[in-house]
Amino acid sequence: MLNKKNILLGVTGGIAAYKTASLTRLFVKAGADVRILMSATAKHFITPLTLATLSKHPVMVDFFNPENGDWNSHVELGLWADAYLVAPATANTVGKMAAGIADNLLLTTYLSAKCPVFIAPAMDLDMYRHPSVTKNLDTLRSLGITIIEPESGELASGLTGKGRMAEPETIIYSLNAFFDAPFSGMHILITAGPTYERIDPVRFVGNFSTGKMGYALAETLAQQGAKVSLVSGPSMLNCKHPNIKRINVESAQEMYEECVKIFPSCEIGIMCAAVADYTPENPVNHKIKSKHDEGLILKLSKTKDIAAELGKMKTDRQLLAGFALETDNEQSNASNKLNAKNLDFIVLNSLNDQGAGFAGDTNKITIIDAKNKAIHYELKSKTDVARDIAEYLKKQLPETKSKHQNIV
Ligand code: CTP
């Protein structure tokens, strides 16, 4: 997808600038034409000679060459590019981009660019979580700029946390996904997080789901062009991508009501939420007192099975996927759920696999289809798992799309 694309790479002055050598190499290998702009400080971290050699074009730092008066036109560069990527983007450059300050070639080019803009921030963890930086990143996001999130790990300062520039492969993935956009024009429903079933105004029956897997999927599919409706139970997470519409719900019943409204306009539904199977039959609207010395019996009744209900509504232009978290007889339980709920495929994770399940940042999945064919994946970060699921979904698309075209 990057083949024959004109990529403008802006390198600013952070230690992660050293990674732009392999980033440039990956762009060139993918067939892209890469022109590089550097801030003056970036030259302390990597030499223009290295990047000029790898990109096969002179690197530009100043507006003109004082020796011969050659002019580097920021307007022409901005028009030439199919994408402008600033990597690494320091807190300083992020702040200037958000404020529209243009005191070097890299920034004037940003203001002239007509193409999509991507930034890969890199800074120390305290800088990254400073409210000023958060606000500047939000401003850039609201302007339609794609932020390629930094990763967590050891930082140049010796501290450990979020702020390390995304790996070159991840940056390439994001640009590829943008140009490829296999889900563009599609509406995808994703459920995520736990549900809370009220006992009284201060207590609920719930589970340990955080929503990480569903949110990672929403982000990945939105980056690949989908319009995503994310129906989320209570979760501390935020969605970043402007293509994601988040609908907050609390209980299984509320989640069900939102999903049945949204699903008919979707091509794909992915049921990622850990929905409560039972809900207190008689929630009360006053706080239950602690005086029940004989104990308390809570009667629970069945909730609606959202996946199964959508499975009944599903037309042949739609795909429906579910998740199964199992502790024993994993594969056969997952297949039974797939059949009972009329799903097209089910993503199985087993609590017996270390690193899989709720709350953690990793997952290990097996995808099982309606013909009982299973694909096993390695233990990966939830973002990488989301990409594997997106890749699998993409392969199912020609069928979905042609079904769609038959209907309209
Ligand atoms: N699901 C749902 N609504 C429910 C229960 C489950 O939509 N009330 C969905 C989940 O989002 C998931 C799939 O169904 O995609 C399987 O959920 P899981 O909790 O693993 O299975 P259950 O059907 O609830 O069966 P059990 O709890 O007995 O394993």
Side-chain angles (χ1 to χ4, degrees), residues 32-82:
D33 193 3
V34 190
R35 305 276 167 123
I36 298 178
L37 302 169
M38 290 174 91
S39 70
T41 329
K43 291 196 292 178
H44 297 303
F45 294 95
I46 185 160
T47 69
L49 180 61
T50 306
L51 295 181
T53 310
L54 291 170
S55 67
K56 304 187 180 81
H57 292 293
V59 166
M60 294 158 278
V61 181
D62 300 308
F63 289 101
F64 61 91
N65 179 339
E67 310 272 299
N68 60 15
D70 252 5
W71 181 251
N72 290 320
S73 167
H74 56 89
V75 177
E76 266 171 35
L77 284 167
L79 293 175
W80 168 84
D82 293 313

Coordinates of all heavy atoms in Angstrom, one line a residue, residues 32-82:
A32 N 8.0 3.3 -1.1 CA 7.6 4.7 -1.0 C 8.8 5.7 -1.3 O 10.0 5.3 -1.2 CB 7.2 5.0 0.5
D33 N 8.5 6.9 -1.8 CA 9.5 7.9 -2.0 C 9.5 8.8 -0.8 O 8.5 9.4 -0.4 CB 9.1 8.7 -3.3 CG 10.2 9.6 -3.8 OD1 11.3 9.5 -3.2 OD2 10.0 10.3 -4.7
V34 N 10.6 8.8 -0.1 CA 10.7 9.5 1.2 C 11.6 10.7 1.1 O 12.7 10.7 0.7 CB 11.3 8.6 2.3 CG1 11.1 9.2 3.7 CG2 10.7 7.2 2.3
R35 N 11.0 11.9 1.5 CA 11.8 13.1 1.6 C 11.8 13.5 3.1 O 10.8 13.4 3.7 CB 11.1 14.3 0.8 CG 10.9 14.0 -0.6 CD 12.1 14.2 -1.4 NE 12.0 13.6 -2.7 CZ 12.1 14.3 -3.9 NH1 12.3 15.6 -3.8 NH2 11.9 13.7 -5.0
I36 N 13.0 13.9 3.5 CA 13.1 14.1 5.0 C 13.4 15.5 5.3 O 14.3 16.2 4.7 CB 14.2 13.1 5.5 CG1 13.7 11.7 5.3 CG2 14.4 13.4 7.0 CD1 14.7 10.6 5.7
L37 N 12.7 16.0 6.3 CA 12.9 17.3 6.9 C 13.4 17.1 8.4 O 12.9 16.2 9.0 CB 11.6 18.1 7.0 CG 10.8 18.3 5.7 CD1 9.5 18.9 6.0 CD2 11.6 19.3 4.9
M38 N 14.4 17.9 8.8 CA 14.8 17.7 10.2 C 14.8 19.1 10.9 O 15.0 20.1 10.2 CB 16.3 17.2 10.2 CG 16.5 15.8 9.8 SD 18.2 15.3 9.7 CE 18.5 14.7 11.3
S39 N 14.5 19.1 12.2 CA 14.7 20.3 12.9 C 16.2 20.4 13.2 O 16.9 19.4 13.1 CB 13.9 20.2 14.2 OG 14.5 19.3 15.1
A40 N 16.7 21.6 13.6 CA 18.1 21.8 13.8 C 18.6 20.9 14.9 O 19.6 20.3 14.9 CB 18.4 23.2 14.2
T41 N 17.7 20.7 16.0 CA 18.1 19.9 17.1 C 18.2 18.4 16.7 O 19.0 17.6 17.3 CB 17.1 20.0 18.3 OG1 16.6 21.3 18.3 CG2 17.7 19.7 19.6
A42 N 17.4 17.9 15.8 CA 17.4 16.5 15.4 C 18.8 16.1 14.9 O 19.2 14.9 15.0 CB 16.3 16.3 14.3
K43 N 19.5 17.1 14.3 CA 20.9 16.8 13.8 C 21.8 16.3 14.8 O 22.8 15.7 14.5 CB 21.4 18.0 13.0 CG 20.7 18.3 11.8 CD 21.5 19.3 10.9 CE 21.7 20.6 11.5 NZ 22.5 21.6 10.7
H44 N 21.5 16.6 16.1 CA 22.4 16.1 17.2 C 22.2 14.7 17.5 O 23.0 14.0 18.1 CB 22.1 16.9 18.5 CG 22.4 18.4 18.4 ND1 23.6 18.9 18.1 CD2 21.6 19.4 18.6 CE1 23.6 20.2 18.1 NE2 22.3 20.6 18.4
F45 N 21.1 14.1 17.0 CA 20.7 12.8 17.4 C 21.0 11.8 16.2 O 21.2 10.6 16.4 CB 19.3 12.7 17.8 CG 19.0 13.4 19.1 CD1 18.5 14.7 19.1 CD2 19.3 12.8 20.3 CE1 18.3 15.3 20.3 CE2 19.0 13.4 21.5 CZ 18.6 14.7 21.5
I46 N 20.9 12.3 15.0 CA 21.2 11.5 13.8 C 21.6 12.4 12.7 O 21.1 13.5 12.6 CB 19.9 10.6 13.4 CG1 20.3 9.7 12.3 CG2 18.7 11.5 13.0 CD1 19.3 8.5 12.1
T47 N 22.6 12.0 11.9 CA 23.1 12.9 10.9 C 22.3 12.9 9.7 O 21.7 11.9 9.2 CB 24.6 12.5 10.5 OG1 24.5 11.3 9.7 CG2 25.5 12.3 11.7
P48 N 22.2 14.1 9.1 CA 21.5 14.2 7.8 C 22.1 13.3 6.7 O 21.4 12.7 5.9 CB 21.7 15.7 7.4 CG 22.0 16.4 8.7 CD 22.7 15.4 9.6
L49 N 23.4 13.0 6.8 CA 24.1 12.1 5.9 C 23.4 10.7 5.9 O 23.2 10.1 4.9 CB 25.6 12.1 6.2 CG 26.4 11.2 5.2 CD1 26.3 11.6 3.8 CD2 27.8 11.1 5.7
T50 N 23.2 10.2 7.2 CA 22.6 8.9 7.3 C 21.2 8.9 6.6 O 20.9 8.0 5.8 CB 22.4 8.6 8.8 OG1 23.7 8.7 9.4 CG2 21.9 7.2 9.0
L51 N 20.4 9.9 6.9 CA 19.0 9.8 6.4 C 19.0 10.1 4.9 O 18.2 9.6 4.2 CB 18.2 10.8 7.2 CG 18.0 10.4 8.7 CD1 17.1 11.4 9.4 CD2 17.4 9.0 8.8
A52 N 19.9 11.0 4.4 CA 20.0 11.3 3.0 C 20.4 10.0 2.2 O 19.8 9.7 1.2 CB 21.0 12.4 2.7
T53 N 21.3 9.3 2.8 CA 21.8 8.0 2.1 C 20.7 7.0 2.1 O 20.4 6.4 1.0 CB 23.0 7.4 2.9 OG1 23.9 8.5 3.1 CG2 23.6 6.3 2.2
L54 N 20.0 6.9 3.2 CA 18.9 5.9 3.2 C 17.7 6.3 2.4 O 17.0 5.4 1.7 CB 18.4 5.6 4.7 CG 19.5 4.9 5.5 CD1 19.1 4.9 7.0 CD2 19.7 3.5 5.1
S55 N 17.4 7.6 2.3 CA 16.2 8.0 1.6 C 16.5 8.3 0.1 O 15.6 8.5 -0.7 CB 15.6 9.3 2.2 OG 16.5 10.4 2.1
K56 N 17.8 8.4 -0.2 CA 18.3 8.7 -1.5 C 17.9 10.1 -2.0 O 17.8 10.4 -3.2 CB 17.8 7.7 -2.5 CG 18.2 6.2 -2.2 CD 17.8 5.3 -3.3 CE 18.1 3.8 -3.0 NZ 17.2 3.1 -2.2
H57 N 17.7 11.0 -1.0 CA 17.4 12.4 -1.3 C 18.1 13.3 -0.3 O 18.2 12.9 0.9 CB 15.9 12.7 -1.2 CG 15.1 12.0 -2.3 ND1 15.1 12.3 -3.6 CD2 14.1 11.1 -2.1 CE1 14.3 11.6 -4.2 NE2 13.7 10.8 -3.4
P58 N 18.5 14.5 -0.7 CA 19.1 15.4 0.3 C 18.1 15.7 1.4 O 16.9 15.7 1.2 CB 19.4 16.7 -0.4 CG 19.2 16.4 -1.9 CD 18.4 15.1 -2.0
V59 N 18.6 15.8 2.7 CA 17.7 16.1 3.8 C 17.7 17.6 3.9 O 18.7 18.3 3.7 CB 18.3 15.4 5.1 CG1 17.7 16.0 6.3 CG2 18.1 13.9 5.0
M60 N 16.5 18.1 4.2 CA 16.3 19.6 4.3 C 16.1 20.0 5.8 O 15.3 19.4 6.5 CB 15.1 20.0 3.5 CG 15.2 19.7 2.0 SD 13.7 19.6 1.2 CE 13.2 17.9 1.5
V61 N 16.9 21.0 6.2 CA 16.8 21.5 7.5 C 16.4 23.0 7.5 O 15.5 23.4 8.2 CB 18.1 21.4 8.3 CG1 18.0 21.9 9.7 CG2 18.6 19.9 8.3
D62 N 17.0 23.8 6.6 CA 16.8 25.2 6.5 C 15.9 25.6 5.4 O 15.7 24.8 4.4 CB 18.2 25.9 6.4 CG 19.1 25.6 7.6 OD1 18.6 25.7 8.7 OD2 20.2 25.1 7.3
F63 N 15.5 26.8 5.4 CA 14.6 27.3 4.3 C 15.4 27.4 3.0 O 14.9 27.3 1.9 CB 14.0 28.6 4.7 CG 12.9 28.5 5.7 CD1 13.2 28.8 7.0 CD2 11.7 28.0 5.4 CE1 12.2 28.7 8.0 CE2 10.7 27.9 6.4 CZ 11.0 28.2 7.7
F64 N 16.7 27.7 3.2 CA 17.5 27.9 1.9 C 18.9 27.5 2.2 O 19.3 27.4 3.4 CB 17.4 29.3 1.4 CG 18.0 30.3 2.3 CD1 19.3 30.7 2.3 CD2 17.1 30.9 3.3 CE1 19.8 31.6 3.2 CE2 17.6 31.8 4.2 CZ 19.0 32.2 4.2
N65 N 19.7 27.2 1.2 CA 21.1 26.8 1.3 C 21.9 28.1 1.2 O 21.9 28.8 0.2 CB 21.4 25.8 0.2 CG 22.9 25.4 0.2 OD1 23.7 26.1 0.8 ND2 23.2 24.3 -0.4
P66 N 22.6 28.5 2.3 CA 23.3 29.8 2.3 C 24.4 29.9 1.2 O 24.8 30.9 0.8 CB 23.9 30.0 3.7 CG 23.8 28.6 4.3 CD 22.8 27.8 3.6
E67 N 24.9 28.7 0.9 CA 26.0 28.6 -0.1 C 25.6 29.1 -1.5 O 26.2 29.8 -2.2 CB 26.6 27.2 -0.3 CG 26.9 26.5 1.1 CD 28.3 26.8 1.5 OE1 29.2 26.4 0.8 OE2 28.5 27.4 2.6
N68 N 24.4 28.5 -1.9 CA 24.0 28.8 -3.3 C 22.6 29.4 -3.4 O 22.1 29.6 -4.5 CB 24.1 27.5 -4.2 CG 23.2 26.4 -3.6 OD1 22.3 26.7 -2.8 ND2 23.4 25.2 -4.0
G69 N 22.0 29.7 -2.3 CA 20.6 30.3 -2.3 C 19.5 29.4 -2.7 O 18.4 29.8 -2.9
D70 N 19.8 28.1 -2.9 CA 18.7 27.1 -3.2 C 17.6 27.1 -2.2 O 17.9 27.0 -1.0 CB 19.3 25.7 -3.2 CG 19.5 25.1 -4.6 OD1 19.2 25.9 -5.5 OD2 19.9 23.9 -4.7
W71 N 16.4 27.2 -2.6 CA 15.2 27.4 -1.7 C 14.5 26.1 -1.5 O 14.2 25.4 -2.5 CB 14.3 28.5 -2.4 CG 13.1 28.8 -1.6 CD1 11.8 28.5 -1.9 CD2 13.0 29.6 -0.4 NE1 11.0 28.9 -0.9 CE2 11.7 29.6 0.0 CE3 14.0 30.2 0.4 CZ2 11.3 30.3 1.2 CZ3 13.6 30.9 1.6 CH2 12.2 30.9 1.9
N72 N 14.2 25.7 -0.3 CA 13.4 24.6 0.0 C 12.0 25.0 0.2 O 11.7 25.7 1.2 CB 13.9 23.9 1.3 CG 15.2 23.2 1.1 OD1 15.5 22.6 0.1 ND2 16.1 23.3 2.1
S73 N 11.1 24.8 -0.8 CA 9.8 25.3 -0.7 C 8.9 24.5 0.2 O 8.5 23.3 -0.2 CB 9.2 25.5 -2.1 OG 7.8 25.7 -2.0
H74 N 8.4 25.0 1.3 CA 7.5 24.3 2.2 C 6.2 24.0 1.5 O 5.5 23.1 1.8 CB 7.4 25.0 3.5 CG 7.0 26.4 3.5 ND1 5.6 26.7 3.5 CD2 7.7 27.5 3.3 CE1 5.6 28.0 3.4 NE2 6.8 28.6 3.3
V75 N 5.8 25.0 0.6 CA 4.5 24.8 0.0 C 4.5 23.7 -1.0 O 3.7 22.8 -1.0 CB 4.1 26.2 -0.7 CG1 2.8 26.0 -1.5 CG2 4.1 27.3 0.3
E76 N 5.6 23.6 -1.8 CA 5.7 22.5 -2.8 C 5.8 21.2 -2.1 O 5.2 20.2 -2.5 CB 7.0 22.7 -3.6 CG 6.7 23.4 -4.9 CD 8.0 23.8 -5.6 OE1 9.0 23.0 -5.5 OE2 8.0 24.9 -6.2
L77 N 6.6 21.1 -1.0 CA 6.7 19.9 -0.2 C 5.4 19.4 0.3 O 5.0 18.2 0.2 CB 7.7 20.0 0.9 CG 9.2 20.1 0.6 CD1 10.0 20.6 1.8 CD2 9.7 18.7 0.1
G78 N 4.7 20.4 0.8 CA 3.4 20.1 1.4 C 2.4 19.6 0.4 O 1.5 18.7 0.7
L79 N 2.5 20.0 -0.8 CA 1.6 19.6 -1.9 C 2.1 18.2 -2.5 O 1.2 17.4 -2.9 CB 1.6 20.6 -3.0 CG 0.9 22.0 -2.6 CD1 1.0 23.0 -3.8 CD2 -0.6 21.8 -2.2
W80 N 3.4 18.0 -2.5 CA 3.9 16.8 -3.0 C 3.5 15.5 -2.2 O 3.2 14.5 -2.8 CB 5.5 16.9 -3.1 CG 6.2 15.7 -3.4 CD1 6.5 15.1 -4.6 CD2 6.8 14.8 -2.4 NE1 7.2 14.0 -4.5 CE2 7.4 13.7 -3.1 CE3 6.9 14.8 -1.0 CZ2 8.1 12.7 -2.5 CZ3 7.5 13.7 -0.4 CH2 8.1 12.7 -1.1
A81 N 3.4 15.7 -0.9 CA 3.3 14.6 0.0 C 1.9 13.9 -0.1 O 0.9 14.6 -0.1 CB 3.6 15.0 1.4
D82 N 1.9 12.6 0.0 CA 0.6 11.8 0.2 C 0.4 11.7 1.7 O -0.8 11.5 2.1 CB 0.7 10.4 -0.4 CG 0.8 10.5 -1.9 OD1 0.0 11.2 -2.5 OD2 1.7 9.8 -2.5

